[in-house]
Amino acid sequence: MPFRRSVATVCLSGTLEDKLAAAAGAGFDGIEVFEPDLIASPWRPRELAARCADLGLGIELYQPFRDLDSTDPATFARNLRRADRKFDVMADLGVDTVLVCSSVSDDAVADVDQVAEQLAIAASRAGERGLRIAYEALAWGRHVSTWERSWEAVARADHPALGLCLDSFHVLSRGGDPAGFAVVPAEKLFFLQLADAPHLRMDVLQWSRHHRLFPGQGAFDLPEFLRCVLDAGYAGPLSLEVFNDVFRQSDPARTAVDALRSLMWLEEQLPGPAAVPAAPELTGHSFVELGVDGVSGPQVAQTLHELGFAHTGQHRSKPVQLWEQGRARVLLNASVVRPAAAGIAAVTALGLESVDPGASAARAEALHAPVLPRDRGTAEAHLSAVEAPDGTQVFFTRTGPGGWPADFLPTDEPDGGAAGLASIDHVGLTQPFDAFDEAGLFYRAVLGLAPQAVTEFAAPFGLVRSRAVTGPERAVRLALSVATLRRGGWSPAVPDPQYVAFATDDIASTAARLRAADAPLLPVPANYADDLEARLELAPELLGAIREHGLMYDQDERGGYLHLATLVLGDRVFFEVVQRLGGYDGYGSADAPVRMAAHRQARTSRAD
């Protein structure tokens, strides 16, 4: 069934005018009017209704009406008067449903029969004007804090103008079971609000007000929640109500696109035909492109040579070099002009191998990913690229005959003395502060990658949050990270570090060859290996290799992870060499603080 898609204006930053333009521009069908937005607007309700009509937006809900019930008759009478005034506003807006939250006030009614009685009185007044009340249990409500309790009150009131609003956050944050929705008659399911969230141990009000996310960005099982609501007979719009400090400071147009993408992803999880093409399988990293300049380019090229890569190709029409070792390929693109930032290298593009590049591109476009224009020369492959939230270009590629490597003319240069690097294991990308959750959803929804659990670690210059997104067979892995707070004026760490991790089957042998080639490997302090020996019962030969070659090591219940890093190249990029042992599926994040401190020390030493 086609769903109407709605977004509460509280989800978006800016004035009401900004919010409406963003919602309409993203393609939403309707909005929930958050009362504080209307109060702060110069538009009268009829003017707002006209503006929404001009933009093709329906007004699905007016919200919130707080603290209706009261043990004090005089207070309840005042609340009814307030409700009558809000019904006037609704009439001018042309909206027929108001959200009434369970009370949090000191005089809230505890007896469910009295709550039902007062709700019925208010519903009777609404019904006389052709309006409806959708009653919602706030997770922190004084006496009504679960959906079951709110349904008990609505059922006892038994008024046709009174029904439920089900909010995924309020239900799931309290461990509610959405399977129970089956007991609610379909005609009593008036409205649905959707929000995801990470699992946090904190006051539920603070959790709700600051940490909600769009569907697919958090840890709630929203597909199952939505399935239960729809199975119970709900037929209204799918509406987002997300309180999030980042979203309420970000560009509303971009946030609205992110929000709509989250609903499209959620709808795709339901049984039945999909509205967008399925995500084709991604079978590997075909290349990573680094944007370099006249200073950083030679430095990165020399390091690749010392890592055993060979400069095997030169692009037919662009200043782009192809470097290869095994199935690991790095492109150095010198077309980036940085007059004010010479000496910088950065990951500018990812090439991801797709079983159907055209279908991958079609899906990306259907999910509102920015499609990038491409200049294509004679006899060059047709490549589709979209832009990720951090600005990285993502290419959907085919490496076989007629694929992208045909764009490169052979250099016939001798190889770099391969060092045992077989492929790209993963790419690490620091995200802009405002884009971390957006990026996770982008890679999940657009590319079909699965998000892993969020981890946090204390780095030398602040707390860092990390989340990997992977393909089902782990052929594609991306490690996304972000500083959890905006940095202050003193931050001598590497700015927004990025890295490419190459896989090897024998890291000790690889490390020996890299040192023989004088590759710029990062020194690891001796204290690190001492601590490993104290904490872990490692085999003597393994511990010996760690000490001898300056390796780092992490392990979990499934296996181990050996890795080393180069120095930072071009201000923010470095390379890693990794070996996975057994079924280890992580990224060595426990070692990140050691690596960051070592990078800082190495940069300081070079500056001196």
Side-chain angles (χ1 to χ4, degrees), residues 438-524:
E438 179 187 2
L441 177 63
F442 173 89
Y443 287 111
R444 182 180 203 173
V446 175
L447 275 66
L449 301 178
Q452 306 302 299
V454 173
T455 60
E456 291 184 349
F457 55 86
F461 305 104
L463 196 67
V464 173
R465 182 172 295 141
S466 179
R467 168 175 245 168
V469 290
T470 67
E473 303 301 323
R474 302 303 192 263
V476 171
R477 297 175 182 261
L478 301 173
L480 311 177
S481 61
V482 67
T484 58
L485 294 174
R486 288 185 173 93
R487 292 189 174 101
W490 186 82
S491 181
V494 177
D496 300 328
Q498 302 172 321
Y499 69 92
V500 184
F502 302 113
T504 179
D505 293 330
D506 186 350
I507 196 169
S509 175
T510 294
R513 281 186 267 182
L514 297 185
R515 293 193 184 281
D518 202 26
L521 301 184
L522 179 70
V524 176

Side-chain angles (χ1 to χ4, degrees), residues 191-260:
F191 207 76
L192 172 66
Q193 292 178 321
L194 296 164
D196 208 337
H199 287 313
L200 298 174
R201 294 183 179 180
M202 64 185 306
D203 176 76
V204 69
L205 176 59
Q206 296 304 310
W207 186 11
S208 172
R209 285 289 179 259
H210 303 284
H211 300 285
R212 294 198 200 191
L213 297 168
F214 293 128
Q217 295 178 340
F220 288 167
D221 188 355
L222 285 192
E224 175 63 12
F225 179 91
L226 179 57
R227 185 191 65 77
C228 290
V229 177
L230 297 178
D231 285 351
Y234 177 74
L238 307 187
S239 193
L240 298 169
E241 188 197 41
V242 172
F243 298 83
N244 183 285
D245 294 339
V246 171
F247 299 164
R248 286 188 283 188
Q249 297 178 54
S250 303
D251 177 356
R254 179 168 172 169
T255 303
V257 170
D258 188 31
L260 186 74

Side-chain angles (χ1 to χ4, degrees), residues 8 19 63 125 127-128 151 163 232 247-249 264 295 317 333 338 399-401 429 431 534 574 591-592:
K19 296 167 186 259
Q63 63 114 331
R125 294 190 180 208
E128 290 172 358
W151 167 235
F247 299 164
R248 286 188 283 188
Q249 297 178 54
M264 297 176 73
V295 176
S317 62
N333 187 341
R338 299 190 183 97
T399 304
L429 300 172
Q431 299 300 296
F574 62 95
D591 298 327

Side-chain angles (χ1 to χ4, degrees), residues 167-188:
D167 182 304
S168 62
F169 180 85
H170 293 304
V171 174
L172 299 177
S173 66
R174 294 187 60 90
D177 183 3
F181 300 159
V183 304
V184 182
E187 66 271 14
K188 287 297 184 180

Side-chain angles (χ1 to χ4, degrees), residues 140-388:
W140 53 92
R142 188 166 182 83
H143 299 297
V144 178
S145 58
T146 66
W147 79 266
E148 292 92 344
R149 188 68 166 173
S150 65
W151 167 235
E152 186 179 2
V154 168
R156 294 190 185 192
D158 192 24
H159 194 285
L162 178 65
L164 285 182
C165 173
L166 294 175
D167 182 304
S168 62
F169 180 85
H170 293 304
V171 174
L172 299 177
S173 66
R174 294 187 60 90
D177 183 3
F181 300 159
V183 304
V184 182
E187 66 271 14
K188 287 297 184 180
L189 296 173
F190 279 10
F191 207 76
L192 172 66
Q193 292 178 321
L194 296 164
D196 208 337
H199 287 313
L200 298 174
R201 294 183 179 180
M202 64 185 306
D203 176 76
V204 69
L205 176 59
Q206 296 304 310
W207 186 11
S208 172
R209 285 289 179 259
H210 303 284
H211 300 285
R212 294 198 200 191
L213 297 168
F214 293 128
Q217 295 178 340
F220 288 167
D221 188 355
L222 285 192
E224 175 63 12
F225 179 91
L226 179 57
R227 185 191 65 77
C228 290
V229 177
L230 297 178
D231 285 351
Y234 177 74
L238 307 187
S239 193
L240 298 169
E241 188 197 41
V242 172
F243 298 83
N244 183 285
D245 294 339
V246 171
F247 299 164
R248 286 188 283 188
Q249 297 178 54
S250 303
D251 177 356
R254 179 168 172 169
T255 303
V257 170
D258 188 31
L260 186 74
R261 184 181 294 139
S262 76
L263 280 181
M264 297 176 73
W265 170 83
L266 182 58
E267 292 168 18
E268 191 178 27
Q269 310 312 303
L270 299 172
V276 297
E281 181 184 1
L282 299 176
T283 58
H285 295 268
S286 49
F287 64 80
V288 173
E289 179 186 277
L290 303 181
V292 295
D293 53 36
V295 176
S296 64
Q299 180 189 21
V300 175
Q302 178 63 28
T303 299
L304 287 172
H305 176 76
E306 293 162 351
L307 293 177
F309 282 79
H311 176 202
T312 59
Q314 188 68 40
H315 198 278
R316 294 175 182 272
S317 62
K318 301 179 178 66
V320 181
Q321 299 176 353
L322 169 61
W323 290 75
E324 294 184 277
Q325 182 176 178
R327 289 179 288 109
R329 306 177 190 88
V330 177
L331 306 184
L332 299 187
N333 187 341
S335 65
V336 180
V337 178
R338 299 190 183 97
I344 292 178
V347 175
T348 52
L350 304 173
L352 301 179
E353 198 78 359
S354 171
V355 297
D356 188 339
S360 291
R363 176 181 176 82
E365 188 168 3
L367 286 164
H368 303 277
V371 178
L372 299 174
R374 300 295 302 170
D375 294 328
R376 183 185 176 203
T378 304
E380 293 179 4
H382 177 74
L383 293 176
S384 297
V386 296
E387 186 177 63

